[in-house]
Amino acid sequence: MPIDLYGTLYPRLFSEVIPAQGPAFDTAHIEQRAMEHEAAGFDGVLLPHNSGWADNFLTTARAAGVTKRLKFLLAHRPGFISPTLAARKLATLDHYTGGRLLLHIITGGRNVEQRRDGDYLEHDERYARTDEYLEILRNVWTSHDPFSHEGACYRFENAFSELKPLQASGIPISFGGASSAAIAVAARRADIFALWGESLDGARELTASVLDAARPLGRRPTFSISIRVILGATEDEAWRRAHEIEHQTREVGLWSPASPVFGGHTPPPSAENEGSRRLLRQVAQGDVLDQRLFTGVAKATNAPGNTTAIVGTAAQVADALLAYYRAGIGGFLFRGFDPRTDAVEFGRELIPLLRDGARLIDAQHQGHAA
């Protein structure tokens, strides 16, 4: 299977260890980080979404203008704009990027953030809305005639888009969420199911649940995993960096009381979504799982998202990540803790090892099949 390597592109500079700085829509930062990811050999970047940030549709457009090959995984929350309008906006952006767009659906994990934009639906209701939303998106993208719809969340008459996505097979849909409600929707709608950085056993268990739900529908989504990376010239150096990052996370940066990025939280926000609860159950098992999966930052932040990290030398990290590849996970969304240097370092030290390792694993599989 192909290996897909993605980084992350935010509209301004910050991380768990770097206080937010620069304008909230920092064009120099966006352009520089996008070009660095492309030059480093990444296949694409995630454009995250938050209810207080700059519009990531426009961040994508800005980054697309200075790159030629890089793909854009646009995080999008259903429910805040009409799905018929969203379908046209996404199709337009797919043309603007030259067919380099993917859509990452996040239904919403924290009530306080959903309510900033006026969404008061509860967890399972949000997933029911997402299910209907994605059905409408696909219909707008594929229908050659106007159509009407009357569902639990949306009602319209004679919807039509003269513009279809540039990609002949449509815009690929990635999907995040680990609850039973999320898995049910992913089984019906997702092309790619995205996991956070769990242990190998946890990842195998979750991917099996998704495949079991999708199989009766005649579907088989692929999988990606979002995980952090902490490299060192030696293993000891990497672990020193990891523990320094855990300490700094508690003092400065993304989750500090003064941070404007998430509005500041003391203590970190409670774990309302199943993905965070899964990570916290793993945090309870220890600071290090599978020899290299570091849970310290997840513990420091209450696991609000992609907060576990693989720690070691480049060769050790590549081996640990390729273990997920052997388990059937072909996509990797990885980043470090300093956006100013991470992409260049990973392109030099890690990406060649991952691509060579994936080719070797594929060749071994083909040899066994023969």
Side-chain angles (χ1 to χ4, degrees), residues 12 19-21 50 52-53 116 253-254 256-264:
R12 71 189 305 185
Q21 52 193 269
N50 178 274
W53 294 351
R116 288 179 186 170
L254 185 64
S256 69
S259 172
V261 177
F262 283 96

Side-chain angles (χ1 to χ4, degrees), residues 3 5 40 42 227-231 310 312-322 332 334-336 342-357:
I3 188 169
L5 306 179
F42 282 88
I227 206 160
R228 309 298 280 273
V229 166
I230 302 173
L231 295 182
I310 301 291
T313 66
Q316 290 169 333
V317 168
D319 285 345
L321 291 176
L322 288 169
F332 295 87
F334 61 95
R335 59 188 172 98
D342 286 337
V344 174
E345 181 182 22
F346 296 156
R348 181 181 63 245
E349 304 290 340
L350 185 57
I351 287 178
L353 297 177
L354 290 171
R355 296 206 184 278
D356 288 345

Side-chain angles (χ1 to χ4, degrees), residues 54-129:
D55 178 8
N56 61 357
F57 278 70
L58 296 179
T59 303
T60 299
R62 190 79 187 201
V66 295
T67 56
K68 296 183 181 301
R69 178 191 54 79
L70 199 68
K71 296 179 182 179
F72 301 98
L73 180 59
L74 177 72
H76 181 64
R77 283 187 184 154
F80 299 105
I81 62 174
S82 162
T84 54
L85 174 59
R88 300 195 305 275
K89 287 169 64 69
L90 290 162
T92 304
L93 193 55
D94 194 41
H95 279 263
Y96 184 86
T97 63
R100 292 185 280 155
L101 186 67
L102 299 87
L103 181 65
H104 180 56
I105 294 295
I106 45 174
T107 298
R110 295 191 297 132
N111 286 336
V112 65
E113 192 180 348
Q114 297 292 122
R115 291 171 183 175
R116 288 179 186 170
D117 283 325
D119 182 20
Y120 287 82
L121 291 185
E122 296 300 324
H123 178 276
D124 286 6
E125 294 174 308
R126 292 200 295 262
Y127 277 101
R129 178 179 63 192

Side-chain angles (χ1 to χ4, degrees), residues 93-336:
L93 193 55
D94 194 41
H95 279 263
Y96 184 86
T97 63
R100 292 185 280 155
L101 186 67
L102 299 87
L103 181 65
H104 180 56
I105 294 295
I106 45 174
T107 298
R110 295 191 297 132
N111 286 336
V112 65
E113 192 180 348
Q114 297 292 122
R115 291 171 183 175
R116 288 179 186 170
D117 283 325
D119 182 20
Y120 287 82
L121 291 185
E122 296 300 324
H123 178 276
D124 286 6
E125 294 174 308
R126 292 200 295 262
Y127 277 101
R129 178 179 63 192
T130 292
D131 193 22
E132 187 176 342
Y133 191 96
L134 291 178
E135 177 186 7
I136 294 167
L137 279 188
R138 289 290 195 198
N139 287 341
V140 173
W141 288 339
T142 59
S143 177
H144 297 291
D145 300 297
F147 69 98
S148 300
H149 174 90
E150 185 167 351
C153 300
Y154 299 102
R155 176 185 177 187
F156 53 82
E157 297 177 3
N158 296 319
F160 181 71
S161 175
E162 66 179 16
L163 183 70
K164 309 302 183 188
L166 181 60
Q167 298 173 75
S169 57
I171 298 170
I173 292 177
S174 168
F175 195 93
S179 66
S180 57
I183 290 172
V185 178
R188 285 191 291 273
R189 310 295 180 192
D191 300 304
I192 306 161
F193 185 85
L195 302 83
W196 283 343
E198 301 190 9
S199 68
L200 277 166
D201 284 344
R204 290 188 186 104
E205 180 265 325
L206 187 52
T207 57
S209 296
V210 174
L211 290 173
D212 287 345
R215 192 173 297 112
L217 304 175
R219 305 190 72 251
R220 186 181 176 86
T222 61
F223 296 95
S224 72
I225 190 164
S226 299
I227 206 160
R228 309 298 280 273
V229 166
I230 302 173
L231 295 182
T234 66
E235 185 174 11
D236 286 345
E237 179 186 314
W239 282 109
R240 283 196 300 272
R241 288 183 65 186
H243 292 297
E244 288 170 1
I245 287 168
E246 179 185 1
H247 174 73
Q248 290 175 304
T249 295
R250 299 178 188 276
E251 303 298 325
V252 301
L254 185 64
W255 298 104
S256 69
S259 172
V261 177
F262 283 96
H265 292 278
T266 307
S270 60
E272 299 176 20
N273 61 81
E274 181 59 21
S276 292
R277 288 193 287 266
R278 285 179 67 92
L279 286 190
L280 289 175
R281 288 195 290 270
Q282 301 209 355
V283 167
Q285 297 174 28
D287 288 346
V288 183
L289 306 177
D290 295 341
Q291 294 187 306
R292 307 209 166 276
L293 184 65
F294 180 57
T295 64
V297 176
K299 179 170 59 177
T301 58
N302 220 26
N306 176 16
T307 47
T308 53
I310 301 291
V311 180
T313 66
Q316 290 169 333
V317 168
D319 285 345
L321 291 176
L322 288 169
Y324 293 97
Y325 188 77
R326 290 187 180 91
I329 298 171
F332 295 87
L333 196 159
F334 61 95
R335 59 188 172 98

